Amino acid sequence: MKLIRTRDAVGHVLCHDMTQIIPGQYKDARFRKGHVVREEDIPVLLSMGKENLYVWEMVPGMVHENDAAERLCALCQNDHMVRGQVKEGKLELTAGTDGLFRVDSRRLDQINLLDEIMIATRHGNTAVRKGDKLCGTRVIPLIVEEEKLRKAEEVGAGRPLLELLPWKLKTAAIIATGSEVAGGLIQDAFTPVVEKKLAAFGVETVRTCKPGDDMERITREILAAKDAGVDLILCTGGMSVDPDDRTPGAIKASGAGIVTYGAPVLPGAMFLLGYFEDGTPVMGLPGCVMYAKSTIFDLVLPRIVAGVPVTREEIAGMGEGGLCLGCEVCTYPNCGFGS
């Protein structure tokens, strides 16, 4: 750092916070470390009794933290994201729409392994609302070697690290299985729960039915829903190994390709996911979805509604973090379940 006259400080970077005191009105840092002095700052600094300042000596090949945060943000920002203002060397991106937030974890880790550089994000493959924070970028020191930023940009390779996909699917059919439901012996408590979860993502339930436990009839209802052009087909109940539970067989008989029958998630182990050739997803939801606060359905639904195909490998990867702890006060999704 070097000492210069305040009147000559425009464009220079302050080395420390500078407190302004106005008796009875104000006492706080008027200028923060790293602030780039502007012309309009000079009278304020002089009024604070600052005739001279310590500033950083910017040398070729070094980048100020604010400029570095901008460059790191550019590696992250994609469609539907809103860029904030640089503050104290930090810059944040927020969601410009509701949707599915995704992170290229491999490249993010590569950048964060570089010295003096950091990008922090929320968990990927999660639902976000407009205005939610997505990530923050900054460098650790006040100034950083430009070569380190260039290395980060090489990792970025011109493709944003982050993605925000607006909800794509709009309509759904719910096929509530079970002879006890079809016969009116018990009230269908499953359909209202699923309808509510779908509505949270802007999906309207446009078709419902109660085909009982007859596998052929369940299959016909699945195909009728597909022919009706709905975006998503959901079969509730009938997913266990009980001989009266026919839902898995009915989904297979419909011609859908099965991604998985079973998931390393509790609640939700008996979950089934399949796709028709045109990409229409069909799911078999186990009974836990009806009564448990958070299940496999909550983990998969955001990806499905965003139109992102879910693979068997991704389902298998849900094992770590796939155990709901059944907390007395549920805070999902702000907890470790599914993370």
Side-chain angles (χ1 to χ4, degrees):
M1 61 184 179
K2 64 179 179 179
L3 181 67
I4 64 172
R5 295 173 62 245
T6 297
R7 297 179 188 276
D8 300 328
V10 174
H12 288 272
V13 181
L14 296 179
C15 288
H16 57 85
D17 292 351
M18 308 195 72
T19 300
Q20 183 180 37
I21 300 175
I22 302 176
Q25 297 182 41
Y26 183 88
K27 181 183 178 182
D28 200 357
R30 182 64 177 80
F31 300 100
R32 297 285 184 183
K33 181 182 74 170
H35 176 75
V36 179
V37 180
R38 302 164 298 177
E39 186 70 42
E40 58 266 34
D41 298 332
I42 302 302
V44 179
L45 288 164
L46 292 173
S47 73
M48 294 166 57
K50 306 298 182 183
E51 295 288 340
N52 300 283
L53 300 172
Y54 280 113
V55 296
W56 284 98
E57 292 185 85
M58 296 299 292
V59 297
M62 302 300 289
V63 179
H64 182 259
E65 62 177 353
N66 288 353
D67 296 325
E70 296 269 11
R71 288 172 64 169
L72 292 174
C73 180
L75 300 180
C76 300
Q77 189 168 7
N78 208 333
D79 296 339
H80 312 295
M81 298 179 188
V82 179
R83 176 191 168 285
Q85 297 295 319
V86 178
K87 184 178 181 181
E88 299 176 8
K90 298 185 289 291
L91 197 155
E92 293 181 346
L93 289 174
T94 57
T97 186
D98 296 355
L100 177 72
F101 177 62
R102 306 218 298 171
V103 179
D104 188 326
S105 302
R106 182 185 63 83
R107 288 191 295 144
L108 176 65
D109 290 347
Q110 286 181 310
I111 289 175
N112 280 329
L113 279 169
L114 299 172
D115 286 342
E116 301 183 334
I117 284 176
M118 62 78 62
I119 299 173
T121 78
R122 67 194 300 139
H123 279 295
N125 282 321
T126 53
V128 297
R129 302 295 183 189
K130 182 177 180 180
D132 283 352
K133 288 183 181 181
L134 302 179
C135 84
T137 66
R138 73 165 302 159
V139 292
I140 307 306
L142 183 61
I143 56 175
V144 66
E145 294 174 26
E146 185 168 17
E147 180 59 27
K148 292 180 180 179
L149 291 174
R150 288 202 187 102
K151 289 181 180 179
E153 289 163 347
E154 288 175 5
V155 174
R159 293 180 293 112
L161 301 175
L162 311 181
E163 190 174 29
L164 178 53
L165 302 174
W167 305 132
K168 182 177 179 181
L169 276 57
K170 301 299 181 184
T171 60
I174 300 176
I175 300 169
T177 69
S179 58
E180 70 280 17
V181 174
L185 299 178
I186 65 169
Q187 183 178 1
D188 176 17
F190 216 142
T191 297
V193 170
V194 177
E195 285 180 324
K196 184 176 180 180
K197 287 181 180 288
L198 292 173
F201 295 93
V203 178
E204 179 185 4
T205 302
V206 297
R207 186 184 181 96
T208 62
C209 64
K210 303 173 184 177
D213 288 320
D214 182 89
M215 192 173 83
E216 291 185 1
R217 187 177 175 191
I218 298 171
T219 300
R220 287 198 301 270
E221 292 293 351
I222 292 171
L223 292 174
K226 184 179 180 301
D227 290 342
V230 299
D231 297 326
L232 172 62
I233 302 169
L234 299 161
C235 300
T236 64
M239 293 300 300
S240 76
V241 295
D242 190 288
D244 290 328
D245 288 345
R246 308 292 177 82
T247 303
I251 295 175
K252 292 177 183 177
S254 72
I258 305 303
V259 174
T260 184
Y261 175 30
V265 176
L266 291 172
M270 306 303 289
F271 171 75
L272 185 150
L273 172 65
Y275 289 93
F276 287 99
E277 288 187 0
D278 65 356
T280 302
V282 55
M283 285 186 266
L285 304 182
C288 61
V289 175
M290 177 171 53
Y291 59 81
K293 173 68 176 178
S294 304
T295 69
I296 179 67
F297 185 47
D298 299 282
L299 304 184
V300 171
L301 185 58
R303 308 185 204 192
I304 297 292
V305 178
V308 176
V310 178
T311 67
R312 182 178 179 84
E313 289 74 21
E314 288 176 308
I315 296 292
M318 292 181 177
E320 182 177 358
L323 177 65
C324 175
L325 301 182
C327 302
E328 184 174 344
V329 177
C330 180
T331 60
Y332 180 84
N334 299 317
C335 71
F337 182 56
S339 299

